[in-house]
Amino acid sequence: MSSLNHCIKFELDIKDENIVFKDYFYKSIKLQKHKIYEAELIQPACPFCGSLDLLHNGHLITNIHYPTANASLPVIIRLAKQRVKCRDCSRWSMAQSELASKYCSISNASKLKVLSALTEDRSMTSIARENNVSINTVQRVLGNCSHRFIDSYEYLPAHLAFDEFKGVDRQLHFICLDGDSHQVVQILRTRYKKNLLKYFGRFSPQARANVKTVTMDLNFYYQNIVRACFPNAQIVIDRFHMIQMLTRSFNSLRVQVMKTFDKRSRQYQLFKSPWKLYLKKFDELEKIHPRYNWHYKDCLTQAQVVTEGINTSTALENSYNLMQSFIQAVETGNTHELKSLINCQDQIGTLMHKTLLTFKHNLTAVLNGAALPYSNGCLEGFNRKIKQIERTAFGYSNFTNLLTRIRLEEDLYKEKEPNSLLMTA
């Protein structure tokens, strides 16, 4: 075997002993320079009976695209596959190699490189351009990966987190995560109650009884699903959603009070420009070094601005004190203080009163959210990754492709069956 053959095999990292390289040259194809390797694929024995007594009958020339580090210089292996007839069993066959699948002109190495690129936050167009393949080839590689998250209905994690995200056709899809390992349990096409009941109803009674907590936002029918499917589970309202709902109610009251003053008045300016200070924790406000603000033409600290602002309205002051106490009680897990704040009878805004009424209707779940360490923080972070995947791809029109891409970027993919990833449709 020639030294040229050894050098080319070493350069391309090809270990198949039945492939013999003979020459290489450069050729312009579609106004792009290509590097062409000429090789022959030998059939050493009959694949049916193992006989070495073969009758050769020409070659089948196949141009195989091979990956290269320099995308501006594509590599093509012009492989001549031997056709043979066995003299013992009289059956015809053609030489095959692990370099590329049967009837395929894309090398398996190129497909693995495409698969590796699909685990990154990149568009299919850039992946296809880098590997000198078509976008359809990238989609076929993506389609050959399993998009299922759980194959068995015999196990469920002890702590679950429910939420939804906007995906295909701007529809809301249901997502469920393991509260401990933060791994995806399942993503469903819709979040309708009947579909969720049908899905969780497939699990065995032992698996559903194993669930101890389910963390969620204030979506009312999620709680009905938990009560129907998980007999031993406690409902936990996410702490972030509770505080977000309360701060939005207070901010709405601040705007209402602000609009009662003249736009040129000092009180209006105290509410208008430094509005973010009212949503911060009072302990984090600056209390020592005053700063001049040209809006209200005065030199005040952040604490002085907030104090002067809330003193203009009794309802606003009560709402602000309630919001600050609520945030502190949630952070410290003080359920007794939280319960007394929810039952507060002070004069507060209408929207704030409705918020407290909502908490009162879900009192047990709200107190669990403050007492237990579980939250939807992991789920919100995962939804952020999904949004980035959709943004990079300019959206998805196929739910299966979106699901598979999410799976790949989490490095949790698996093949549908052995070697199916390297086969083309």
Side-chain angles (χ1 to χ4, degrees):
M1 194 173 292
S2 66
S3 59
L4 177 64
N5 177 57
H6 285 293
C7 290
I8 295 177
K9 281 190 171 183
F10 180 79
E11 179 184 357
L12 300 180
D13 193 23
I14 295 177
K15 299 180 175 63
D16 194 336
E17 297 179 355
N18 296 326
I19 297 178
V20 180
F21 287 90
K22 299 180 178 180
D23 195 9
Y24 72 93
F25 57 90
Y26 295 94
K27 184 179 180 181
S28 180
I29 302 175
K30 295 182 180 180
L31 302 179
Q32 186 178 13
K33 188 177 181 181
H34 286 64
K35 192 173 185 179
I36 312 294
Y37 291 94
E38 288 188 338
E40 182 182 11
L41 179 58
I42 301 172
Q43 179 74 296
C46 177
F48 304 104
C49 65
S51 174
L52 301 179
D53 190 6
L54 304 175
L55 175 64
H56 296 278
N57 185 26
H59 298 82
L60 175 66
I61 307 299
T62 305
N63 293 322
I64 299 176
H65 295 267
Y66 200 78
T68 177
N70 185 5
S72 62
L73 184 62
V75 171
I76 293 179
I77 299 177
R78 187 166 291 174
L79 192 63
K81 300 180 181 180
Q82 285 187 351
R83 292 195 192 97
V84 297
K85 180 181 181 180
C86 180
R87 297 181 186 272
D88 294 338
C89 63
S90 300
R91 301 181 70 174
W92 292 90
S93 62
M94 184 178 296
Q96 300 296 332
S97 171
E98 294 181 356
L99 180 66
S101 302
K102 193 175 182 180
Y103 310 121
C104 185
S105 62
I106 307 296
S107 65
N108 293 336
S110 294
K111 294 178 182 179
L112 290 175
K113 189 176 179 182
V114 168
L115 179 62
S116 177
L118 283 170
T119 62
E120 303 170 359
D121 185 21
R122 298 176 54 189
S123 65
M124 292 187 183
T125 303
S126 65
I127 295 173
R129 188 183 300 115
E130 179 185 332
N131 294 278
N132 294 299
V133 296
S134 66
I135 299 178
N136 290 335
T137 299
V138 179
Q139 291 176 339
R140 281 196 295 270
V141 173
L142 179 66
N144 284 329
C145 298
S146 175
H147 62 272
R148 293 173 295 177
F149 289 89
I150 279 190
D151 295 322
S152 173
Y153 292 100
E154 299 299 325
Y155 170 76
L156 275 173
H159 305 282
L160 297 175
F162 286 2
D163 203 359
E164 61 273 337
F165 68 93
K166 192 174 293 184
V168 176
D169 296 330
R170 302 187 65 82
Q171 293 183 359
L172 290 175
H173 307 309
F174 174 79
I175 180 171
C176 178
L177 256 65
D178 185 343
D180 288 326
S181 64
H182 300 170
Q183 300 295 329
V184 177
V185 175
Q186 188 57 272
I187 297 178
L188 301 178
R189 185 182 295 270
T190 63
R191 59 167 187 161
Y192 298 143
K193 183 177 179 179
K194 61 178 182 180
N195 294 336
L196 299 184
L197 290 173
K198 181 179 179 181
Y199 170 72
F200 287 112
R202 296 174 183 171
F203 288 88
S204 64
Q206 294 80 7
R208 289 186 279 113
N210 182 55
V211 179
K212 297 179 181 179
T213 64
V214 179
T215 310
M216 64 186 71
D217 53 18
L218 288 160
N219 194 322
F220 70 96
Y221 69 83
Y222 281 172
Q223 300 187 26
N224 296 335
I225 294 171
V226 172
R227 296 188 184 98
C229 297
F230 310 115
N232 301 326
Q234 297 185 69
I235 299 173
V236 180
I237 301 298
D238 182 49
R239 295 181 290 275
F240 168 78
H241 288 89
M242 290 190 292
I243 295 176
Q244 182 189 53
M245 192 173 180
L246 201 66
T247 53
R248 284 178 176 176
S249 302
F250 171 80
N251 200 40
S252 176
L253 179 60
R254 178 194 62 83
V255 173
Q256 292 177 7
V257 175
M258 180 187 68
K259 290 183 178 180
T260 61
F261 297 100
D262 185 81
K263 291 186 177 180
R264 292 169 294 183
S265 65
R266 176 185 175 90
Q267 291 82 359
Y268 186 91
Q269 296 301 329
L270 285 171
F271 286 122
K272 180 66 175 178
S273 59
W275 64 271
K276 291 184 180 180
L277 299 179
Y278 294 90
L279 304 180
K280 293 179 65 176
K281 291 191 291 186
F282 190 79
D283 295 338
E284 298 178 357
L285 297 177
E286 176 61 50
K287 302 178 181 63
I288 300 175
H289 304 289
R291 298 185 64 180
Y292 180 81
N293 190 297
W294 67 273
H295 289 283
Y296 41 82
K297 308 295 188 298
D298 200 354
C299 194
L300 300 173
T301 63
Q302 292 181 348
Q304 288 174 338
V305 171
V306 173
T307 303
E308 185 177 346
I310 63 176
N311 286 338
T312 58
S313 171
T314 304
L316 186 65
E317 183 179 6
N318 293 337
S319 299
Y320 182 81
N321 294 332
L322 187 146
M323 179 184 69
Q324 293 294 326
S325 301
F326 192 94
I327 294 174
Q328 186 177 6
V330 169
E331 290 181 347
T332 58
N334 191 342
T335 55
H336 296 288
E337 177 68 16
L338 206 61
K339 189 174 181 180
S340 64
L341 291 172
I342 292 174
N343 295 318
C344 175
Q345 301 296 327
D346 296 337
Q347 181 183 356
I348 54 178
T350 304
L351 192 57
M352 180 75 77
H353 176 72
K354 291 182 179 179
T355 300
L356 294 182
L357 195 61
T358 303
F359 291 161
K360 193 172 183 179
H361 290 163
N362 302 274
L363 184 60
T364 304
V366 169
L367 297 180
N368 288 338
L372 299 177
Y374 301 101
S375 71
N376 271 15
C378 58
L379 199 49
E380 298 296 336
F382 194 86
N383 287 347
R384 173 65 179 84
K385 294 181 181 179
I386 296 176
K387 290 179 182 178
Q388 184 59 42
I389 293 172
E390 294 176 326
R391 188 179 297 112
T392 302
F394 299 98
Y396 281 84
S397 59
N398 187 292
F399 179 73
T400 302
N401 289 343
L402 173 62
L403 213 60
T404 307
R405 192 67 188 272
I406 294 171
R407 185 69 164 175
L408 281 171
E409 293 208 16
E410 286 300 302
D411 293 329
L412 296 173
Y413 75 94
K414 64 179 180 179
E415 298 179 9
K416 290 181 179 178
E417 54 187 34
N419 298 325
S420 66
L421 181 62
L422 304 181
M423 297 175 61
T424 58

